[in-house]
């Protein structure tokens, strides 16, 4: 690739490219800033490398235009401002983007920071470049004041909603990346603020667009400025073993190259660079030291075909032992952003864990540049089929990279309208609120606070008075004008669009008509009572208040008002009242029934003879069953509950059901005790939590076998956090034996908790 000649005009300090043909030599005596010249040459070389037919004269003209517009500006570093848009454009060229995007990259700050207008840009560079510059300018004006996760997610959505072309977001990401590269020139508080903002907004956005080469650098640079002590500590730890690791990787690459060549597989193998922030996140998430992280040592194999990927995987697994649970097939099941690769971790030549990634060249290109196939996380959420349809066309980004000559036609399909059904607006404090499309200022007011909605008398959008019927637009800054002691108008029910706002308006009118509703509700009660033949005395006073509590209503007036405004019916409350009266009448007979059950088989001794290992005080020959809700075993404190027709149910004394019986049906509780002579085993359910590794279940079963304990049921499952849960139902003869078993199980390596649970899954002490 050649170097491009340039001319320097001494008066205004502008650089212009006069000869864009490769091969010309730089003339230092005519160039004031050689660094800028070198950077411009570098940009042209990057462009020629992936699209030799691009019109470089247009790029040159955009550079001249930007350099002239920014000629009086300096960056925090003291450099001429033109350095920034030039470096941003080089990042975009590294993503192999089209001519319009590169021109917009050079011009992305001219409207925001200079006297240049969008009309000026359109006259000189056309409407498509103007659209991109305007989109970046709008996004630059967003203020990131709130740092909560929800706010960050809303801001990411706003990026996509406000950017009518996906390339706007790519320019913004490149802009943020270069700002981070020069962040050291800012004061420390500003460094931390920008770093946090990047980790919350921009890095996740790059991830969701699949642009990993930008995502990783954004994260590492943000980590460097947000937590410099931890960053440099990690850098130092990794540097200590750097030479050893590099020698190890070289030997692995050599061995693997030889084996693949012998099998006829063409491959490029290299050490995979590790990103500090991802290592740090794993150390925090998994609570591990650096030497315990599996994929610090890593290589990547790039092959020609998918068949070669799986063949390479087989060779790797025959050479070195794979670590169980560490294989992931992202080829058969790509990530939501269309990332594809095979990941496996093996025990390498010197017994150290080694991560191997295997992918085709096309897959590698996708991983580096991104295809924006899906920008929203799927973890823990259900897919939206309509959303997927809207985004299906974005997968074409993979194709356009192969044929940039036809990029203009393809770029027409890059216009996006992902959120036609919602609108994102700002509060005066800078918070982003998501509302349904078509929402008006009243909806915004009630979303802020009910009192703000009730006292609304007008609204402003972008500092201009707007009517309450005004339809909010993406990016509007909305301010609600309020007046104390004012209230809603019934017309608002026809203006507001959200059910939330309409509900609050209706509630206000209900409250205003409370006195009327109380009188109306009382009349309804008395009318319904006479209709059902209920004495009027029953629907007065404390009895009615007690029934109201069942509906979370605590005063007589509130109950009447609820009936008056239609929230409750008189019939439903009267029905509940009759049920309560019936329970009161039955209470006396219930006590007699329980006493009869207690004394029917009463022997002369105070404690009856045992049944299934249980003695009941004052009775014998009763049907006995152990409650499954708490699963008592000999040694547990127990209580009996006399059931209707099923004998006595035996519960642990601390069972939550016993607590409720003590409150509502204490007359059914009886004293019970374990029979010391009873030796038959009882079933107990245990839950074991530990690290998901090979052989864990086998070691658990070996302990049980060694202790001669029968397991009637076993279930094991893995968890997303690389943990394992093992469920057991075993037979024990008492609490003492159970404690001995659980202590032995806790001693197994990688087991960090053994607890007793009920058969319904309730944790037992």
């Amino acid at each position: 690739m050649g170097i491009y000649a340039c001319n320097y005009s001494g008066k205004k300090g502008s650089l212009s490219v006069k000869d864009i043909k490769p091969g010309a030599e730089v003339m230092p005596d005519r160039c004031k800033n050689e660094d800028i010249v070198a950077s411009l040459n570098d940009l042209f070389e990057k462009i020629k490398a992936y699209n030799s037919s691009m019109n470089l004269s247009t790029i040159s003209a955009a550079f001249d235009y930007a350099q002239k517009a920014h000629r009086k500006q300096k960056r925090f570093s003291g450099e001429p401002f033109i350095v920034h848009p030039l470096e941003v454009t080089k990042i975009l060229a590294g993503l192999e983007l089209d001519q319009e995007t590169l021109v917009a990259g050079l011009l992305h700050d001219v409207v925001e920071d200079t006297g240049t207008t969008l009309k000026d840009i359109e006259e000189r560079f056309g409407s498509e470049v103007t659209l991109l510059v305007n989109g970046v300018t709008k996004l630059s004006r967003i203020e990131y004041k709130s740092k909560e996760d929800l706010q960050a997610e809303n801001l990411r959505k706003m990026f996509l909603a406000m950017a009518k072309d996906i390339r706007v977001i790519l320019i913004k990401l490149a802009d943020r990346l270069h700002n981070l590269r020069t962040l050291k020139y800012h004061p420390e508080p500003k460094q931390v603020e920008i770093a946090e903002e990047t980790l919350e907004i921009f890095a996740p956005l790059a991830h969701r667009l699949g642009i990993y080469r930008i995502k990783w650098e954004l994260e590492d640079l943000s980590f460097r400025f947000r937590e410099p002590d931890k960053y440099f500590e990690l850098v130092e730890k990794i540097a200590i073993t750097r030479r050893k690791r590099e020698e190890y990787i070289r030997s692995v690459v050599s061995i693997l190259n030889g084996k693949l060549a012998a099998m006829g597989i063409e491959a490029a193998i290299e050490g995979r660079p590790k990103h500090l922030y991802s290592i740090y996140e794993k150390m925090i998430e998994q609570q591990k030291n650096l030497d315990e992280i599996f994929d610090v040592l890593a290589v990547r194999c790039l092959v020609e075909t998918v068949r070669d990927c799986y063949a390479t995987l087989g060779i790797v697994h025959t050479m070195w032992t794979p670590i169980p649970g560490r294989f992931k097939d992202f080829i058969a099941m790509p990530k939501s952003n269309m990332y594809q690769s095979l990941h496996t971790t093996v025990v390498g030549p010197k017994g150290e864990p080694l991560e191997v990634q295997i992918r085709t060249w096309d897959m590698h290109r996708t991983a580096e540049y991104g295809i924006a196939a899906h920008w929203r996380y799927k973890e823990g959420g259900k897919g939206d089929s309509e959303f997927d349809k809207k985004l299906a066309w974005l997968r074409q980004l993979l194709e356009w990279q192969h044929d940039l000559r036809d990029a203009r036609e393809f770029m027409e399909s890059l216009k996006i309208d992902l959120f036609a059904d919602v609108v994102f607006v700002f509060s005066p404090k800078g918070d982003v609120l998501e509302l349904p499309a078509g929402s008006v200022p009243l909806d915004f007011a009630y979303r802020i606070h009910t009192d703000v909605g009730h006292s609304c008398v007008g609204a402003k959008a972008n500092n201009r008075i707007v009517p309450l019927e005004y339809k909010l637009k993406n990016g509007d800054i909305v301010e609600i004008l309020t007046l104390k002691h004012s209230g809603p108008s019934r017309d608002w029910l026809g203006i507001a669009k959200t059910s939330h706002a309409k509900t609050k308006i209706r509630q206000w009118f209900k409250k205003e008509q409370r006195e009327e509703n109380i009188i109306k509700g009382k009349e309804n009660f008395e009318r319904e009572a006479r209709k059902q033949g209920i004495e009027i005395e029953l629907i007065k006073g404390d009895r009615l208040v007690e029934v109201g509590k069942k509906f979370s209503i605590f005063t007589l007036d509130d109950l009447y008002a609820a009936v008056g405004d239609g929230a409750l019916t008189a019939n439903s409350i009267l029905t509940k009242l009759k049920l309560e009266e019936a329970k009161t009448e039955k209470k006396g007979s219930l006590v007699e029934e329980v006493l009869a059950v207690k004394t029917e088989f009463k022997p002369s001794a105070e404690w009856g003879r045992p049944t299934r290992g249980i003695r009941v005080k004052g009775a014998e020959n009763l049907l006995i069953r152990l409650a499954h809700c708490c699963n008592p075993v000999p040694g547990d404190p127990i209580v009996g509950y006399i059931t209707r027709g099923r004998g006595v149910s035996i519960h642990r004394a601390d069972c939550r059901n016993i607590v409720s019986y003590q409150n509502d049906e204490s007359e059914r509780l009886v004293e019970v005790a374990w029979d010391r002579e009873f030796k038959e085993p009882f079933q107990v359910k245990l839950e074991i939590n530990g690290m998901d590794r090979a052989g864990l279940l086998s070691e658990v079963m070996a302990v049980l076998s060694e202790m001669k304990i029968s397991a009637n049921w076993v279930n094991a499952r893995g968890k997303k956090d690389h943990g394992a849960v093992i469920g057991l139902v075993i037979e024990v003869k008492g609490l003492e034996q159970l404690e001995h078993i659980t202590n032995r199980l806790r001693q197994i390596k990688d087991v960090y908790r053994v607890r007793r649970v009920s058969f319904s899954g309730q944790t037992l002490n």
Side-chain angles (χ1 to χ4, degrees), residues 381-432:
K382 295 181 179 178
D384 182 338
S385 59
E386 288 302 313
F387 188 83
D388 290 339
K389 288 177 185 176
K390 292 177 184 178
L391 285 171
W393 60 267
L394 284 174
R395 296 188 179 90
Q396 295 176 68
L397 280 175
L398 179 63
E399 302 301 326
W400 83 269
Q401 295 182 46
H402 297 300
D403 191 8
L404 281 168
R405 291 186 182 88
D406 299 325
R408 180 172 296 281
E409 181 181 348
F410 176 77
M411 287 304 162
E412 284 303 309
S413 69
L414 280 180
K415 305 295 185 289
I416 62 178
D417 189 17
L418 304 180
F419 295 99
D421 51 349
V422 294
V423 63
F424 300 91
V425 294
F426 286 107
S427 74
K429 293 182 178 179
D431 295 325
V432 179

Side-chain angles (χ1 to χ4, degrees), residues 336-369:
S336 59
N337 55 23
M338 301 306 290
Y339 174 87
Q340 288 183 288
S341 187
L342 296 177
H343 292 193
T344 187
T345 305
V346 297
V347 180
K350 297 182 180 179
E352 296 194 42
L354 170 71
E355 186 191 58
V356 182
Q357 291 185 356
I358 307 166
R359 62 179 71 147
T360 66
W361 285 98
D362 282 342
M363 293 173 190
H364 183 59
R365 186 182 187 84
T366 298
E368 290 291 298
Y369 298 123

Side-chain angles (χ1 to χ4, degrees), residues 92 130 188 211 247 317 327 365 432 479 481 643 657 743:
L92 295 171
T130 306
E188 187 174 334
I211 312 170
E247 290 177 359
H317 281 180
F327 169 65
R365 186 182 187 84
V432 179
E479 181 182 353
L481 307 176
T643 66
N657 287 329
N743 287 335

